[in-house]
Amino acid sequence: MACSLLLSGALAITPAQKARANALGNNLRCPICTGLPITESTNDLSVQMLREVRKQIAAGHSNREIYAYFTARYGNFVLLDPPKEGRNLLLWGTPPAALAAGGAVLWKVLRRRRQANESTPAAATPNSDEPFDSFLAKVRRETRPSARQCREQDTESHA
Amino acid sequence: MTNTSPLPNPAPLWRRLLPPLIAASLVGVLGAALLSPSRNATTGGPLVGKPAPAFTLEGLDGTKVSLASLKGRPVVLNFWASWCSPCREEAPLFRDLSERQGPGQGLAVVGILFQETQEQNARDFIREFALAYPSLRDLKSDTAINYGVAGIPETFFIDRQGTIQHADRGGLNRERLNIGLEKIGVTGL
């Protein structure tokens, strides 16, 4: 605890800078236990890396410069949030592109189905066969109860 | 009245083959990506081809060693610790390497301690393997972070101009050591 206080005193960073160091540390991967950011890993190397982040913040470096420092030494793998540039754009762009493509396909299918529904009655009217008519009557009877009265009226008119 | 609607036109051949071709290409790409070994597993790294980061560290014997003072000489820089088993396996290679070179001329072999909590263990290690080259303290792992060291042993081969030409991690054997030495213009063991 005293050592930690001494360390933070030596670095002399403000609470805002400490919060920024934590935000940066949350995005940097522990090189040894690679599933954790350096803010959560208890490995000595992660502790020292986080101290290095604080030191660079105290020296006035920007976030981009600090990220560039670590990627120059550990590679892009050290970033838990890959930058949106270069080949990483393919990684970032694929999900929205797939979503847009899926939406386009779905819209196309629905539009085709709607056109088929609209064109079917017109085509069926001149070619009214008994089997088709009975099926249509059955469908109407099942879907719309009010259609029964029309059906009965038709029957009476025929008789 | 029988009204037979005409059969729908058959789809073009390319249209029917398109989904299987897409699926096959995806499986091929996935297989190739998974089966190819990771390029940076044991050699290479972001620092290869870049100037070696500078350091000035104090050795266990009290002498200060800086990379700038070794300019003009090829340098083999080895990060190690006494608790590291592969370091014990490669230590005889570094002993032979440093013994072959006379002091003050030719190749410089430098060790840097990585997270060594008990310095006496490091001294015992050095005595056990009769290592004559300097081993430097890296307090707070500043130099290790500057070199992107993620685990040990890790060895950097630096040429006469101070550029890192090769990096090896995971433990050296004679063949892998010679690969690094050739890249910095030094005859292998």
Side-chain angles (χ1 to χ4, degrees):
Chain A
M1 197 61 185
C3 184
S4 175
L5 288 175
L6 183 63
L7 186 67
S8 60
L11 287 180
I13 57 175
T14 64
Q17 285 176 324
K18 184 176 292 186
R20 186 178 149 213
N22 270 355
L24 286 171
N26 279 335
N27 195 26
L28 290 170
R29 189 194 301 267
C30 171
I32 295 177
C33 33
T34 57
L36 289 174
I38 59 176
T39 50
E40 294 178 18
S41 169
T42 56
N43 189 270
D44 283 344
L45 190 63
S46 295
V47 173
Q48 299 303 332
M49 284 172 73
L50 191 53
R51 192 185 57 84
E52 179 74 24
V53 169
R54 293 201 196 98
K55 192 168 73 173
Q56 297 202 14
I57 287 176
H61 291 180
S62 68
N63 288 12
R64 190 172 184 88
E65 285 169 342
I66 295 171
Y67 284 145
Y69 174 90
F70 283 102
T71 52
R73 287 152 178 81
Y74 289 96
N76 269 346
F77 185 71
V78 80
L79 298 176
L80 285 170
D81 188 7
K84 304 175 177 60
E85 55 193 19
R87 281 187 296 175
N88 287 320
L89 282 177
L90 187 65
L91 185 67
W92 281 103
T94 301
L99 190 63
V105 169
L106 184 64
W107 180 74
K108 199 170 182 181
V109 167
L110 290 181
R111 188 182 64 174
R112 185 180 302 162
R113 187 169 298 176
R114 185 174 55 191
Q115 285 180 350
N117 285 338
E118 288 177 356
S119 61
T120 301
T125 302
N127 305 324
S128 59
D129 297 339
E130 288 190 0
F132 183 77
D133 195 6
S134 65
F135 176 74
L136 182 60
K138 181 182 177 183
V139 170
R140 286 176 177 174
R141 209 180 313 113
E142 291 177 353
T143 57
R144 287 176 290 184
S146 61
R148 292 180 181 177
Q149 299 179 357
C150 300
R151 182 66 180 176
E152 292 175 358
Q153 290 177 2
D154 289 348
T155 306
E156 291 177 358
S157 65
H158 276 295
Chain B
M1 180 186 297
T2 59
N3 190 358
T4 60
S5 63
L7 290 175
N9 294 324
L13 187 66
W14 67 268
R15 197 161 188 176
R16 280 184 285 166
L17 290 181
L18 191 61
L21 282 177
I22 292 178
S25 62
L26 283 177
V27 171
V29 169
L30 185 64
L34 289 177
L35 292 177
S36 65
S38 176
R39 288 172 297 177
N40 289 338
T42 56
T43 59
L47 285 176
V48 172
K50 303 284 175 50
F55 60 83
T56 299
L57 300 172
E58 183 180 306
L60 293 179
D61 54 359
T63 61
K64 281 191 180 300
V65 176
S66 70
L67 187 62
S69 68
L70 301 174
K71 186 99 174 179
R73 299 171 61 184
V75 177
V76 172
L77 188 64
N78 177 243
F79 288 84
W80 68 281
S82 63
W83 46 262
C84 158
S85 293
C87 301
R88 306 184 71 87
E89 298 169 10
E90 65 179 23
L93 289 174
F94 286 115
R95 177 188 59 209
D96 296 345
L97 188 62
S98 62
E99 282 177 355
R100 194 189 64 180
Q101 306 287 330
Q105 49 177 334
L107 179 71
V109 182
V110 178
I112 294 185
L113 295 175
F114 180 79
Q115 296 184 354
E116 185 69 56
T117 52
Q118 296 287 337
E119 263 189 22
Q120 187 57 45
N121 292 340
R123 297 176 192 274
D124 295 342
F125 186 104
I126 291 169
R127 188 175 307 111
E128 176 183 348
F129 290 97
L131 304 178
Y133 57 88
S135 283
L136 315 177
R137 298 189 187 94
D138 183 21
L139 303 181
K140 300 174 182 174
S141 304
D142 280 335
T143 304
I145 292 174
N146 215 2
Y147 275 79
V149 174
I152 52 172
E154 189 154 353
T155 306
F156 294 88
F157 297 82
I158 304 166
D159 64 10
R160 288 174 171 83
Q161 288 77 42
T163 303
I164 295 176
Q165 295 293 347
H166 191 66
D168 188 286
R169 55 186 70 88
L172 284 165
N173 53 28
R174 195 170 294 263
E175 290 76 26
R176 283 163 64 173
L177 177 65
N178 288 340
I179 289 172
L181 293 176
E182 286 168 12
K183 292 195 176 179
I184 57 176
V186 175
T187 307
L189 289 179

